[in-house]
Amino acid sequence: MGEIVLAAKITHVPTMLLSEQPGKLQGSRQQAIDGHKEIMRRARELGADTVVVLDTHWLVNAAYHINSNPVFKGVYTSHEFPHFIQNLEYEYQGNPALGDAIAAKATEKGVFTLSHQVETLDLEYGTLVPMHFMKPEETNMKIVSVAAWCTVHNLQDSRKLGEAIREAVEASDSKVLLLASGSLSHKIWENELYEANNGTFTISREFNRQVDLRVLELWQQGEIATFLKMLPEYANYCSGEGGMHDTAMLFGALGWDKYTGKGEIIGEYFPSSGTGQANVVFPVL
Ligand SMILES: [Fe+2]
């Protein structure tokens, strides 16, 4: 019988890639990279064979969508940040059966979801950046990518998609690492203010930083029900990435306001390009 063995909310900032290369950003995101590696180390220890990534860079304008290709292979350059992510080569195995099962379960719950096996449907960088560091291919782990930049959707439907992920995994034989790939607050610096504010390493609004820190406290204290009461306003006032649908899906999978686990920050909270970022692991109960 399948199970979600570990869940996490994770960063995917493109400067992690620059952190690996010679230049002025070299080494600057090491703790975030180490966080990804540690999360994968734990997932492997728990027997994970598939990573399901809730990707806040995959924008969808109708319905919910899952990329369930059997193989993902290509070379990626970001349209958003072509100077940050260039010619990133990737090759991963997929888990079409699990993607199809999640879509069927969600649709059964009234949340219309399509699972796609379309060779030219590429991955977005909310999936590619973490996978670059976590290296699922090294132990033949499979990946499934779920669209989590949901422009016309409500958070309760995303919660139900999260529930469907859990139910579909438990009805399968997959051991899953579930990753909500998205930031905390997400007000990117205004273009004309970026340089003067050392934008790569700062947050754009003190209000957002203070709310992020409180949210991390709530997560660490296991006050998830309280957090969920504020999630819609948090996503709104702090410009949550992708509307924070990744977060609604994550907590939907964990049990929503009945979840009593405590978040564990791996590494530290850090600002990036105006946004607030962290890697936070949640045990599955
Ligand atoms: Fe992002």
PDB file of all heavy atoms in Angstrom, residues 6 21 39-40 55 76 133 137 146 149 163 168 173 197 207 230 271:
ATOM      1  N   LEU A   6       6.812  11.788   3.239  1.00  0.00           N
ATOM      2  CA  LEU A   6       7.322  13.061   3.746  1.00  0.00           C
ATOM      3  C   LEU A   6       6.715  14.181   2.905  1.00  0.00           C
ATOM      4  O   LEU A   6       6.473  13.993   1.709  1.00  0.00           O
ATOM      5  CB  LEU A   6       8.857  13.095   3.640  1.00  0.00           C
ATOM      6  CG  LEU A   6       9.568  14.277   4.309  1.00  0.00           C
ATOM      7  CD1 LEU A   6       9.396  14.233   5.832  1.00  0.00           C
ATOM      8  CD2 LEU A   6      11.069  14.271   3.962  1.00  0.00           C
ATOM      9  N   GLN A  21      27.629  28.415  -9.582  1.00  0.00           N
ATOM     10  CA  GLN A  21      28.524  28.793 -10.678  1.00  0.00           C
ATOM     11  C   GLN A  21      29.502  29.890 -10.243  1.00  0.00           C
ATOM     12  O   GLN A  21      29.181  30.672  -9.347  1.00  0.00           O
ATOM     13  CB  GLN A  21      27.697  29.288 -11.868  1.00  0.00           C
ATOM     14  CG  GLN A  21      26.753  28.229 -12.415  1.00  0.00           C
ATOM     15  CD  GLN A  21      25.629  28.805 -13.268  1.00  0.00           C
ATOM     16  OE1 GLN A  21      25.679  29.958 -13.676  1.00  0.00           O
ATOM     17  NE2 GLN A  21      24.612  28.002 -13.520  1.00  0.00           N
ATOM     18  N   ILE A  39      16.267  17.234   2.526  1.00  0.00           N
ATOM     19  CA  ILE A  39      14.888  16.741   2.366  1.00  0.00           C
ATOM     20  C   ILE A  39      14.899  15.458   1.535  1.00  0.00           C
ATOM     21  O   ILE A  39      14.231  14.473   1.879  1.00  0.00           O
ATOM     22  CB  ILE A  39      14.007  17.836   1.730  1.00  0.00           C
ATOM     23  CG1 ILE A  39      13.784  18.973   2.746  1.00  0.00           C
ATOM     24  CG2 ILE A  39      12.676  17.259   1.262  1.00  0.00           C
ATOM     25  CD1 ILE A  39      13.209  20.250   2.146  1.00  0.00           C
ATOM     26  N   MET A  40      15.669  15.448   0.469  1.00  0.00           N
ATOM     27  CA  MET A  40      15.741  14.237  -0.358  1.00  0.00           C
ATOM     28  C   MET A  40      16.408  13.087   0.394  1.00  0.00           C
ATOM     29  O   MET A  40      15.993  11.937   0.270  1.00  0.00           O
ATOM     30  CB  MET A  40      16.486  14.533  -1.665  1.00  0.00           C
ATOM     31  CG  MET A  40      16.521  13.361  -2.625  1.00  0.00           C
ATOM     32  SD  MET A  40      14.903  12.596  -2.914  1.00  0.00           S
ATOM     33  CE  MET A  40      14.554  13.139  -4.578  1.00  0.00           C
ATOM     34  N   ASP A  55       3.665  22.789  -8.421  1.00  0.00           N
ATOM     35  CA  ASP A  55       4.553  23.760  -9.069  1.00  0.00           C
ATOM     36  C   ASP A  55       3.855  25.100  -9.292  1.00  0.00           C
ATOM     37  O   ASP A  55       3.000  25.234 -10.173  1.00  0.00           O
ATOM     38  CB  ASP A  55       5.021  23.158 -10.405  1.00  0.00           C
ATOM     39  CG  ASP A  55       6.072  24.010 -11.100  1.00  0.00           C
ATOM     40  OD1 ASP A  55       6.091  25.239 -10.906  1.00  0.00           O
ATOM     41  OD2 ASP A  55       6.862  23.431 -11.865  1.00  0.00           O
ATOM     42  N   TYR A  76      16.141  23.494 -20.620  1.00  0.00           N
ATOM     43  CA  TYR A  76      15.208  24.556 -20.222  1.00  0.00           C
ATOM     44  C   TYR A  76      15.899  25.902 -20.073  1.00  0.00           C
ATOM     45  O   TYR A  76      16.940  26.009 -19.415  1.00  0.00           O
ATOM     46  CB  TYR A  76      14.565  24.169 -18.884  1.00  0.00           C
ATOM     47  CG  TYR A  76      13.631  25.209 -18.313  1.00  0.00           C
ATOM     48  CD1 TYR A  76      12.293  25.250 -18.690  1.00  0.00           C
ATOM     49  CD2 TYR A  76      14.087  26.145 -17.391  1.00  0.00           C
ATOM     50  CE1 TYR A  76      11.429  26.204 -18.159  1.00  0.00           C
ATOM     51  CE2 TYR A  76      13.236  27.102 -16.854  1.00  0.00           C
ATOM     52  CZ  TYR A  76      11.903  27.123 -17.242  1.00  0.00           C
ATOM     53  OH  TYR A  76      11.061  28.067 -16.722  1.00  0.00           O
ATOM     54  N   PHE A 133      18.609  19.893  -7.751  1.00  0.00           N
ATOM     55  CA  PHE A 133      19.413  19.705  -6.536  1.00  0.00           C
ATOM     56  C   PHE A 133      19.106  18.386  -5.824  1.00  0.00           C
ATOM     57  O   PHE A 133      19.972  17.801  -5.188  1.00  0.00           O
ATOM     58  CB  PHE A 133      19.205  20.884  -5.578  1.00  0.00           C
ATOM     59  CG  PHE A 133      19.743  22.173  -6.144  1.00  0.00           C
ATOM     60  CD1 PHE A 133      18.899  23.160  -6.609  1.00  0.00           C
ATOM     61  CD2 PHE A 133      21.114  22.363  -6.257  1.00  0.00           C
ATOM     62  CE1 PHE A 133      19.397  24.324  -7.170  1.00  0.00           C
ATOM     63  CE2 PHE A 133      21.631  23.523  -6.821  1.00  0.00           C
ATOM     64  CZ  PHE A 133      20.755  24.510  -7.275  1.00  0.00           C
ATOM     65  N   GLU A 137      16.863  11.166 -10.117  1.00  0.00           N
ATOM     66  CA  GLU A 137      17.315  10.167 -11.095  1.00  0.00           C
ATOM     67  C   GLU A 137      18.402   9.255 -10.529  1.00  0.00           C
ATOM     68  O   GLU A 137      18.588   8.134 -11.003  1.00  0.00           O
ATOM     69  CB  GLU A 137      17.800  10.867 -12.383  1.00  0.00           C
ATOM     70  CG  GLU A 137      19.123  11.625 -12.285  1.00  0.00           C
ATOM     71  CD  GLU A 137      19.021  13.015 -11.673  1.00  0.00           C
ATOM     72  OE1 GLU A 137      17.960  13.360 -11.120  1.00  0.00           O
ATOM     73  OE2 GLU A 137      20.026  13.758 -11.734  1.00  0.00           O
ATOM     74  N   VAL A 146       2.366  18.914 -10.712  1.00  0.00           N
ATOM     75  CA  VAL A 146       0.970  19.385 -10.635  1.00  0.00           C
ATOM     76  C   VAL A 146       0.962  20.903 -10.764  1.00  0.00           C
ATOM     77  O   VAL A 146       1.719  21.597 -10.071  1.00  0.00           O
ATOM     78  CB  VAL A 146       0.348  18.973  -9.278  1.00  0.00           C
ATOM     79  CG1 VAL A 146      -1.090  19.475  -9.171  1.00  0.00           C
ATOM     80  CG2 VAL A 146       0.414  17.455  -9.093  1.00  0.00           C
ATOM     81  N   TRP A 149      -0.141  27.231 -10.012  1.00  0.00           N
ATOM     82  CA  TRP A 149      -0.405  28.672 -10.177  1.00  0.00           C
ATOM     83  C   TRP A 149      -1.792  28.749 -10.783  1.00  0.00           C
ATOM     84  O   TRP A 149      -1.963  28.699 -11.991  1.00  0.00           O
ATOM     85  CB  TRP A 149       0.635  29.321 -11.085  1.00  0.00           C
ATOM     86  CG  TRP A 149       0.477  30.806 -11.244  1.00  0.00           C
ATOM     87  CD1 TRP A 149      -0.542  31.600 -10.790  1.00  0.00           C
ATOM     88  CD2 TRP A 149       1.380  31.689 -11.937  1.00  0.00           C
ATOM     89  NE1 TRP A 149      -0.335  32.909 -11.143  1.00  0.00           N
ATOM     90  CE2 TRP A 149       0.847  32.987 -11.845  1.00  0.00           C
ATOM     91  CE3 TRP A 149       2.578  31.495 -12.616  1.00  0.00           C
ATOM     92  CZ2 TRP A 149       1.471  34.092 -12.425  1.00  0.00           C
ATOM     93  CZ3 TRP A 149       3.197  32.595 -13.185  1.00  0.00           C
ATOM     94  CH2 TRP A 149       2.657  33.879 -13.085  1.00  0.00           C
ATOM     95  N   GLU A 163      -6.286  16.498  -0.984  1.00  0.00           N
ATOM     96  CA  GLU A 163      -6.893  15.279  -0.402  1.00  0.00           C
ATOM     97  C   GLU A 163      -6.863  14.140  -1.423  1.00  0.00           C
ATOM     98  O   GLU A 163      -6.593  12.983  -1.077  1.00  0.00           O
ATOM     99  CB  GLU A 163      -8.348  15.562   0.010  1.00  0.00           C
ATOM    100  CG  GLU A 163      -8.483  16.494   1.206  1.00  0.00           C
ATOM    101  CD  GLU A 163      -9.920  16.971   1.429  1.00  0.00           C
ATOM    102  OE1 GLU A 163     -10.825  16.569   0.651  1.00  0.00           O
ATOM    103  OE2 GLU A 163     -10.119  17.756   2.364  1.00  0.00           O
ATOM    104  N   ALA A 168      -5.176   8.995  -3.598  1.00  0.00           N
ATOM    105  CA  ALA A 168      -4.671   8.257  -4.765  1.00  0.00           C
ATOM    106  C   ALA A 168      -3.347   7.571  -4.431  1.00  0.00           C
ATOM    107  O   ALA A 168      -3.105   6.433  -4.841  1.00  0.00           O
ATOM    108  CB  ALA A 168      -4.489   9.202  -5.955  1.00  0.00           C
ATOM    109  N   ASP A 173       0.778   1.835  -5.140  1.00  0.00           N
ATOM    110  CA  ASP A 173       1.893   1.212  -4.423  1.00  0.00           C
ATOM    111  C   ASP A 173       3.093   2.164  -4.380  1.00  0.00           C
ATOM    112  O   ASP A 173       4.234   1.736  -4.235  1.00  0.00           O
ATOM    113  CB  ASP A 173       2.263  -0.143  -5.048  1.00  0.00           C
ATOM    114  CG  ASP A 173       2.582  -0.014  -6.527  1.00  0.00           C
ATOM    115  OD1 ASP A 173       2.625   1.129  -7.028  1.00  0.00           O
ATOM    116  OD2 ASP A 173       2.791  -1.060  -7.181  1.00  0.00           O
ATOM    117  N   ASN A 197      18.212  48.610  -3.870  1.00  0.00           N
ATOM    118  CA  ASN A 197      17.887  47.907  -2.629  1.00  0.00           C
ATOM    119  C   ASN A 197      18.605  46.567  -2.510  1.00  0.00           C
ATOM    120  O   ASN A 197      18.201  45.730  -1.697  1.00  0.00           O
ATOM    121  CB  ASN A 197      16.378  47.704  -2.533  1.00  0.00           C
ATOM    122  CG  ASN A 197      15.658  49.001  -2.229  1.00  0.00           C
ATOM    123  OD1 ASN A 197      15.653  49.458  -1.092  1.00  0.00           O
ATOM    124  ND2 ASN A 197      15.086  49.626  -3.246  1.00  0.00           N
ATOM    125  N   PHE A 207       6.352  44.517   6.102  1.00  0.00           N
ATOM    126  CA  PHE A 207       5.087  43.871   6.477  1.00  0.00           C
ATOM    127  C   PHE A 207       5.116  42.387   6.100  1.00  0.00           C
ATOM    128  O   PHE A 207       4.771  41.517   6.909  1.00  0.00           O
ATOM    129  CB  PHE A 207       3.919  44.578   5.776  1.00  0.00           C
ATOM    130  CG  PHE A 207       2.582  43.940   6.026  1.00  0.00           C
ATOM    131  CD1 PHE A 207       1.874  44.194   7.194  1.00  0.00           C
ATOM    132  CD2 PHE A 207       2.020  43.067   5.093  1.00  0.00           C
ATOM    133  CE1 PHE A 207       0.636  43.599   7.426  1.00  0.00           C
ATOM    134  CE2 PHE A 207       0.792  42.466   5.324  1.00  0.00           C
ATOM    135  CZ  PHE A 207       0.098  42.737   6.492  1.00  0.00           C
ATOM    136  N   MET A 230      -6.070  32.070   8.198  1.00  0.00           N
ATOM    137  CA  MET A 230      -5.526  33.308   7.611  1.00  0.00           C
ATOM    138  C   MET A 230      -4.965  33.118   6.204  1.00  0.00           C
ATOM    139  O   MET A 230      -4.542  34.077   5.565  1.00  0.00           O
ATOM    140  CB  MET A 230      -4.455  33.924   8.522  1.00  0.00           C
ATOM    141  CG  MET A 230      -3.223  33.061   8.692  1.00  0.00           C
ATOM    142  SD  MET A 230      -1.948  33.842   9.750  1.00  0.00           S
ATOM    143  CE  MET A 230      -1.074  34.846   8.528  1.00  0.00           C
ATOM    144  N   PRO A 271      15.449  36.148   2.413  1.00  0.00           N
ATOM    145  CA  PRO A 271      14.815  36.967   1.384  1.00  0.00           C
ATOM    146  C   PRO A 271      15.502  36.778   0.038  1.00  0.00           C
ATOM    147  O   PRO A 271      16.711  36.539  -0.015  1.00  0.00           O
ATOM    148  CB  PRO A 271      15.029  38.396   1.898  1.00  0.00           C
ATOM    149  CG  PRO A 271      16.298  38.324   2.678  1.00  0.00           C
ATOM    150  CD  PRO A 271      16.439  36.917   3.182  1.00  0.00           C
TER     151      PRO A 271
END
